[in-house]
Amino acid sequence: MGEICGGIEMTQENIVENWKNAKPGTLKLDWQEAEEAIGFKLHENFKDFYSRILSDEGERDSLDTVKVFQMGKWVEAGQPYAISGIMKWSKELVKEQQNGMEGWLDEANGGRDFCEFSLRLLSGSGSRYVSQFVKEAFCGDWTGGNDFGHRAYIGEMLLNTGEISLIFNNDTGRFEWVDFGYGYFEVYEENPYGIIADTAQELLDKITVVEYG
């Protein structure tokens, strides 16, 4: 049996579907400490995305105690929990390709109709945990110390050509994709990037899981 969150049973097998179906604001989160930590207000789309469910790992009070599901087992990691697996893929998942990079992802998956994915998910609702989670998302190691604006790392897709990062742009409220592996990492806009969704619900609805990690 899984954990119960907002009346929904959380298991490794149904977590993404429950994430899609849960209402924004199901989790009563206090965002103030997190906003003070990063120095700006969080967009409502970010709150929508993360205020629906907790992971099936249970309530955590800090990132120091979070575990990540990797290669069929839980391992300790000083980073947020991530749900992972295999999802359906088509180039239609990508809404916009910007920076003159139209067509960049059209053949990126080598004709495959699936790809690996990973999405970060809250494992606690306390203000301390939420603050750490948000700070890691916007200012964590994924930035390499570079200034990418008010952007947060939320997950990734692994295509045939490599890893595509999933990013939330807090200034626009849109969910972006970016290919750091084939661009100029230090300057975000000089990498192949674009839009995958305008809202949290649109992004979640595009994720059709066929197998969990």
Side-chain angles (χ1 to χ4, degrees):
M1 297 292 289
E3 299 288 332
I4 302 296
C5 178
I8 301 173
E9 182 181 351
M10 301 303 300
T11 69
Q12 182 75 7
E13 288 72 28
N14 65 17
I15 194 168
V16 172
E17 287 305 308
N18 287 339
W19 198 349
K20 293 180 186 181
N21 296 328
K23 293 181 179 180
T26 297
L27 301 176
K28 305 306 179 185
L29 304 176
D30 182 356
W31 299 101
Q32 182 176 350
E33 185 175 333
E35 291 175 335
E36 291 174 352
I38 59 177
F40 53 87
K41 294 289 186 181
L42 290 165
H43 196 284
E44 287 303 314
N45 283 350
F46 185 88
K47 297 178 183 179
D48 177 333
F49 192 63
Y50 283 117
S51 65
R52 298 172 178 232
I53 63 170
L54 295 179
S55 76
D56 61 346
E57 259 295 85
E59 187 77 24
R60 299 280 172 173
D61 60 5
S62 79
L63 291 187
D64 298 334
T65 58
V66 169
K67 294 181 180 180
V68 179
F69 191 75
Q70 294 178 342
M71 302 301 290
K73 63 181 179 180
W74 294 105
V75 296
E76 294 289 347
Q79 61 183 19
Y81 167 97
I83 186 76
S84 62
I86 307 296
M87 62 177 277
K88 292 182 179 179
W89 161 265
S90 72
K91 64 182 182 181
E92 285 72 26
L93 287 174
V94 177
K95 192 163 190 173
E96 295 178 19
Q97 301 185 51
Q98 299 183 349
N99 195 28
M101 297 295 180
E102 291 77 7
W104 184 265
L105 293 182
D106 289 358
E107 304 300 329
N109 209 27
R112 299 188 305 174
D113 62 357
F114 65 92
C115 68
E116 295 181 46
F117 79 96
S118 176
L119 288 174
R120 286 186 172 180
L121 181 60
L122 285 171
S123 296
S125 58
S127 59
R128 177 173 178 246
Y129 173 87
V130 172
S131 177
Q132 289 181 321
F133 181 97
V134 170
K135 188 173 182 179
E136 171 65 24
F138 282 93
C139 311
D141 291 343
W142 74 273
T143 67
N146 298 298
D147 181 3
F148 293 147
H150 296 162
R151 287 182 167 95
Y153 173 90
I154 63 169
E156 62 190 48
M157 297 183 296
L158 185 61
L159 304 183
N160 194 49
T161 55
E163 179 182 305
I164 302 296
S165 297
L166 299 176
I167 305 294
F168 177 74
N169 187 328
N170 197 73
D171 292 335
T172 65
R174 306 178 87 185
F175 294 84
E176 301 176 347
W177 63 270
V178 61
D179 187 350
F180 287 122
Y182 283 82
Y184 181 63
F185 180 78
E186 289 80 1
V187 181
Y188 189 92
E189 290 78 7
E190 293 188 10
N191 295 282
Y193 81 102
I195 308 302
I196 194 167
D198 288 321
T199 67
Q201 191 64 53
E202 183 182 3
L203 175 61
L204 291 168
D205 285 344
K206 288 185 172 183
I207 299 172
T208 301
V209 180
V210 295
E211 181 180 340
Y212 284 88

